[in-house]
Amino acid sequence: MANKIPTKLVGMALFMEGSNQDFATGDITLPSLTPMTDTVSGAGILGEVDLPSPGHYSSMELGITWRTIDRDAFRLVSSQKKALEIRGAFNEFDNTKSAFVTRAIKIVVRGVGKGIDLGTLAQNATTDTTNTIEVIYIKIFIDGEAVFELDKFNHISRVNGEDDQQDVRKALGLA
């Protein structure tokens, strides 16, 4: 039996990296981490195999939804690099203590604005205005420990401390 059962996100804040003033947003849609693959076939293989390219991921988009058309949403529109920090608190039930505990998550994202969907104007309703950010760097911490890091322009790809690109950086003279 699992000692800790994750239940839900109980708190969240979004900051410009290095700032302590958070944005008042609605939801944040995190990017999908989809490894790029190549199909391999030929002698010695029965059919085809779709193999991932270590460290290579498809385009990653971060979505930030605002309850209304907010001035802060326009800070994220330009193609200038943005540095964001998302912090969250997950609620878990700890079977060993028979109590709820909190687990911290921090996601550091750097990217460029890809646009803004202004949403819908309807009386007595949110606009659901949405920014889209193209992610070029992401690092995820759980309880202070880095579990994932991807820097597309610096050949960095680490999963649970394992560096997928160390040999590539060395071969390219970057390490």
Side-chain angles (χ1 to χ4, degrees), residues 90-140:
F90 287 115
N91 200 329
E92 294 182 343
F93 187 78
D94 187 332
N95 280 332
T96 61
K97 298 178 183 176
S98 293
F100 286 102
V101 295
T102 301
R103 183 170 42 95
I105 186 165
K106 178 172 84 168
I107 303 170
V108 175
V109 173
R110 296 184 188 112
V112 294
K114 285 183 70 172
I116 185 170
D117 179 345
L118 294 174
T120 304
L121 291 176
Q123 192 164 320
N124 202 33
T126 62
T127 61
D128 292 331
T129 300
T130 305
N131 283 98
T132 303
I133 307 289
E134 177 68 22
V135 176
I136 57 176
Y137 175 89
I138 185 169
K139 190 169 186 176
I140 302 170

Side-chain angles (χ1 to χ4, degrees), residues 3 7 40 77 107 115 127 138 162 167:
N3 286 337
T7 58
V40 178
V77 173
I107 303 170
T127 61
I138 185 169
E162 209 169 295
D167 290 343

Side-chain angles (χ1 to χ4, degrees), residues 10-121:
V10 294
M12 164 179 83
L14 172 67
F15 304 90
M16 292 298 271
E17 191 177 23
S19 169
N20 63 356
Q21 185 172 354
D22 63 332
F23 294 111
T25 64
D27 297 332
I28 297 173
T29 303
L30 299 172
S32 295
L33 303 175
T34 307
M36 296 177 74
T37 61
D38 284 312
T39 302
V40 178
S41 64
I45 300 173
L46 293 176
E48 298 177 335
V49 179
D50 221 15
L51 295 175
S53 297
H56 293 257
Y57 289 82
S58 297
S59 173
M60 300 182 300
E61 291 183 344
L62 178 82
I64 302 171
T65 303
W66 307 81
R67 287 181 281 282
T68 63
I69 299 172
D70 192 284
R71 185 178 303 272
D72 284 332
F74 292 95
R75 292 174 62 188
L76 303 176
V77 173
S78 76
S79 60
Q80 296 296 316
K81 185 177 92 170
K82 317 292 181 283
L84 303 171
E85 188 174 294
I86 304 159
R87 290 184 174 262
F90 287 115
N91 200 329
E92 294 182 343
F93 187 78
D94 187 332
N95 280 332
T96 61
K97 298 178 183 176
S98 293
F100 286 102
V101 295
T102 301
R103 183 170 42 95
I105 186 165
K106 178 172 84 168
I107 303 170
V108 175
V109 173
R110 296 184 188 112
V112 294
K114 285 183 70 172
I116 185 170
D117 179 345
L118 294 174
T120 304
L121 291 176

